[in-house]
Structure formats: C-alpha cells, structure tokens
Amino acid sequence: MKKILAFSLAAFLLVSLCACGGKESNNSSEIMLSVGKTEEVEVKAAENVFPENTVVEIKAISSGDDYETATTALKTTAKKFTVYDITAKSENVSVQPNGTVEATFEVPAEYDLDRVAVIYISDDGKAETLSCTVDKTAKTVTAQLSHFSLYAVVELVEEDTQSTISGVTSSDSASETSSNNTSLDKPAESSKPTESSKPAHTHSFAAATCTSAKKCACGVTEGKALGHDYVEDKCSRCGAIDKTYKALTSGYWTVAVVDGNTLYDVSFVFSGEEPNASIGIGDNIKGLPEDFQNEILNNPADYSDSILKVGNETYYVGRGFGCPITFETNKNTVVITEMDSTNTITLTRTAGDKYKITAISGDFMGESNTLKVGIVLTWKEAEIAEN
C-alpha cells in the first residue's frame, strides 16, 4: 500500500482553476485548492468548504471490514476495482465538506478506459455510480464528491457497462467518433484477415501476498494485496512488525463529536477497578448568556476542567453522564459492553493509536445519534486512579 500523504488546507498558497478532464468546471469563477494528494489521488475544494487547519487523508485499502464491504457491494458491477477511504479532520475532529469537492483518481494501467467509473460505497454497503469524466490522455477519472467516505475506481463488467456508463464522459471522445466513420468504398478494418494465428496468452497468477496483488509472469496483476493481518505488533502471515503498535495498558479512548452547537466529549476508560464510559456535553460559549461568557473568559483557571476547544470554537462542558462497562479484546479489536445490557460498541485499530468504531449493537448509553460507525477515537495512555 502506498504511503498516505495528508495535506493541511492552511499549507497551500498556490491555487488553480478546477479542471475536469481538461474542461472547465461548472463554476469557472470558483477557485479550487488542492487539499489532499497522494501518488494516485488528488482532492480539490473551494476555500470555505472546510474549517481552518483541516487535514484530508486519502488511503488505499485492500483488507479489513471496509474492504470486505466494498467487495460485496461491487461484486456484480466491477470487473476490477481500487478502493479509497477519504476522510477529513479539523483539530482531531472528523468533519465533512460544506459543499462539493473534486477528486481525480489515477486509473490503473490494466483497466479498460472505456469502462472506467467512480462508485460511492455507503456504510451499509450500497453502491452508487457517480457522474465522472475520463481523461484518456492523462489516464485519470474525475468526479464531484458531496461528502467523504469509501470510493472505488472500477472497470465495469461488460454486461453492466451500457446501463451504468451513461454518467461517464470522455475528454477523448472526438477521436473515438471519427474512428467509427467507415467509408462505403472501403471494407471495414475488422474485415481484414488477422496477421497471426498465435494463440492468446493465458494468465498464470502467482498468489497474492500482504504487499503484492496476484501477478502473472507477463506483468499483469489482478485484485489487490492482502494487507497485513497484525496480531498485536506482528503480521500473522509474513511476520512484518507494525512499528506504530501501542499495547493497551492503562488508558482510555476519546473523541470529540460536534453536532451543531453541541459538543459530545466521549471517553471509554480501559483500566481501573471500574471501567466506565462517559459523555460530557458542552454548549458553544457563543450561545451562553453574555455575563456567563465573560465569567468564563475572565477566569479561565476556574473553568479549566469544563472548557474544551475544538477547531476555532470553545465549548463549556457543563452536563454529562456515564455508565460502567466491560471490555473484551481480540487481536486489534475491542468490544465494549454497557453493563447490565447487551448494548455493545466494537473498536478496531486502524494504525498506531487510532481506533475506528466498526460496529454498534443497541442504543449504547442512549446516544445512537452521536456514536456512529466510522467515528475514529484516539487511544491515550494514562495512569487511571483506582477507586
């Protein structure tokens, strides 16, 4: 898997007009910034689409739950596919674009450019083909995205091409049209006898490994690399060591989720005599009475435990609740169960100290609208006081 490069919005000074397959965008006066780029993908957005200090991450995935979801969603549509997980964070809080962004994907060399498309894959495994433009010269495909999630660049299966390809345009379509204008005085090119009767090559693929897709001796690849299956810090297949691994000792998982003017500060305490989950609820201080705002801002030391800053906004965490929980760990997965109920949340380590909510069962702490699949929590080591 290629190294992910994350670019902060504030880091870019050079801007360019949005181009899609060599044509001007629908709004030629809108200036687009490159907000995230890897060797295979570039994402552009207008200046005010994200909060300041937003970091966009683009990750090609070839294993794990998200990859399995994509594989299931694309099994009847795509002959070949490459899956990307595109996310954005501002001050370590997940954010979505406030407007449309433009994503340009490099098309793998072995894909048929006449059947390339971009497909959005929802959390529940539904696939939606997006309108896009294929640039055959640059070998890229560009689509407009309304939010960040899983996206796949695919080569459509032949029987699905006619029904799906209608939303795809090509910047090289003129040359294709001229090639179909056959003179009545000349036989069609297809009527010429073949120059060779040599049998077609049959691929013989070597098995995929953690880092390489199945590959034929002729150089053609199929599918994707398996990806490492880490058990703690060591891959069970190839023995590679994950240098980002952190053992779970004393500590907690935490994430701040902003919903409108309300902040939810979520923590799951891993150790101690009584492991617990807690949610601190904060109000944006801009919505508090003016005299209380002044009291907080003029006496920061007195309110240090109740003030939390996320991005450019400040919140007063004056409400909250919690409950006892239990833990069950297996490899890089942690299942958290709310005491005296069957409500669970499953966390799966993605890299280093980052854990993603991959499953929720029941209405955990009554916060099904706040705690959602896909939210990323950070593991923090700490000394947890014993009660």
Side-chain angles (χ1 to χ4, degrees):
M1 187 182 297
K2 296 185 178 178
K3 184 178 180 183
I4 302 168
L5 303 176
F7 290 79
S8 171
L9 289 176
F12 284 86
L13 297 179
L14 295 177
V15 298
S16 61
L17 290 177
C18 170
C20 181
K23 299 179 181 179
E24 292 185 352
S25 67
N26 293 332
N27 184 358
S28 59
S29 63
E30 185 176 46
I31 297 177
M32 306 289 280
L33 295 163
S34 180
V35 297
K37 187 176 182 180
T38 67
E39 293 182 20
E40 300 169 324
V41 185
E42 182 173 19
V43 176
K44 293 181 178 181
E47 186 175 5
N48 297 319
V49 167
F50 292 103
E52 290 185 10
N53 302 319
T54 295
V55 175
V56 173
E57 291 189 352
I58 306 162
K59 179 170 62 174
I61 59 173
S62 57
S63 63
D65 292 339
D66 286 343
Y67 184 74
E68 293 302 320
T69 297
T71 300
T72 301
L74 300 170
K75 64 181 180 180
T76 61
T77 305
K79 182 178 181 180
K80 304 184 182 102
F81 61 87
T82 307
V83 182
Y84 297 95
D85 185 12
I86 306 178
T87 59
K89 289 183 182 179
S90 176
E91 301 293 340
N92 210 31
V93 176
S94 296
V95 297
Q96 288 288 355
N98 181 26
T100 301
V101 299
E102 179 184 272
T104 298
F105 304 86
E106 178 182 319
V107 180
E110 66 272 19
Y111 286 24
D112 183 345
L113 291 171
D114 289 325
R115 299 208 301 271
V116 167
V118 176
I119 294 181
Y120 156 65
I121 302 161
S122 64
D123 291 339
D124 58 0
K126 295 180 180 178
E128 176 186 347
T129 304
L130 305 181
S131 295
C132 59
T133 299
V134 177
D135 186 330
K136 292 187 176 182
T137 302
K139 292 182 173 58
T140 60
V141 58
T142 299
Q144 306 297 316
L145 314 182
S146 60
H147 63 285
F148 286 161
S149 182
L150 293 180
Y151 290 91
V153 176
V154 308
E155 178 187 318
L156 298 168
V157 296
E158 293 185 16
E159 56 268 29
D160 197 56
T161 301
Q162 295 303 318
S163 60
T164 310
I165 206 71
S166 58
V168 181
T169 58
S170 171
S171 62
D172 195 24
S173 58
S175 61
E176 295 179 5
T177 302
S178 63
S179 66
N180 292 326
N181 294 333
T182 304
S183 170
L184 296 176
D185 297 328
K186 298 180 181 180
E189 289 293 324
S190 58
S191 66
K192 293 182 179 180
T194 57
E195 296 180 1
S196 173
S197 59
K198 187 166 63 176
H201 171 69
T202 301
H203 295 303
S204 177
F205 292 101
T209 66
C210 292
T211 56
S212 301
K214 292 194 298 184
K215 189 172 184 178
C216 177
C218 70
V220 171
T221 60
E222 181 177 275
K224 285 292 184 180
L226 299 176
H228 295 297
D229 178 33
Y230 289 115
V231 179
E232 295 183 341
D233 65 337
K234 189 174 183 179
C235 178
S236 63
R237 284 193 284 262
C238 70
I241 300 298
D242 180 6
K243 296 181 180 179
T244 68
Y245 172 76
K246 290 185 178 181
L248 298 177
T249 54
S250 293
Y252 57 98
W253 289 272
T254 183
V255 66
V257 181
V258 176
D259 183 8
N261 290 319
T262 304
L263 170 75
Y264 297 89
D265 185 23
V266 183
S267 294
F268 299 113
V269 179
F270 180 70
S271 60
E273 290 183 353
E274 297 182 359
N276 64 88
S278 65
I279 296 181
I281 303 175
D283 298 302
N284 194 311
I285 65 168
K286 294 177 181 178
L288 299 176
E290 187 174 352
D291 57 343
F292 193 24
Q293 291 186 45
N294 293 331
E295 170 70 16
I296 293 172
L297 296 175
N298 293 332
N299 301 281
D302 296 341
Y303 294 91
S304 59
D305 293 336
S306 301
I307 295 299
L308 188 61
K309 189 167 185 179
V310 179
N312 295 322
E313 302 296 331
T314 302
Y315 298 85
Y316 172 70
V317 183
R319 296 169 289 146
F321 55 92
C323 71
I325 54 178
T326 61
F327 288 90
E328 181 181 344
T329 61
N330 180 21
K331 296 184 179 180
N332 293 320
T333 300
V334 181
V335 178
I336 303 170
T337 303
E338 186 178 2
M339 194 73 79
D340 300 325
S341 82
T342 58
N343 299 332
T344 63
I345 286 183
T346 302
L347 306 180
T348 301
R349 188 173 73 90
T350 55
D353 59 358
K354 304 301 180 186
Y355 285 74
K356 179 186 288 188
I357 297 179
T358 53
I360 299 177
S361 175
D363 191 9
F364 198 97
M365 288 198 294
E367 286 298 316
S368 58
N369 292 328
T370 302
L371 300 173
K372 297 180 180 179
V373 171
I375 289 178
V376 176
L377 294 88
T378 302
W379 165 257
K380 295 186 178 181
E381 295 178 348
E383 291 296 328
I384 306 299
E386 301 285 347
N387 296 325

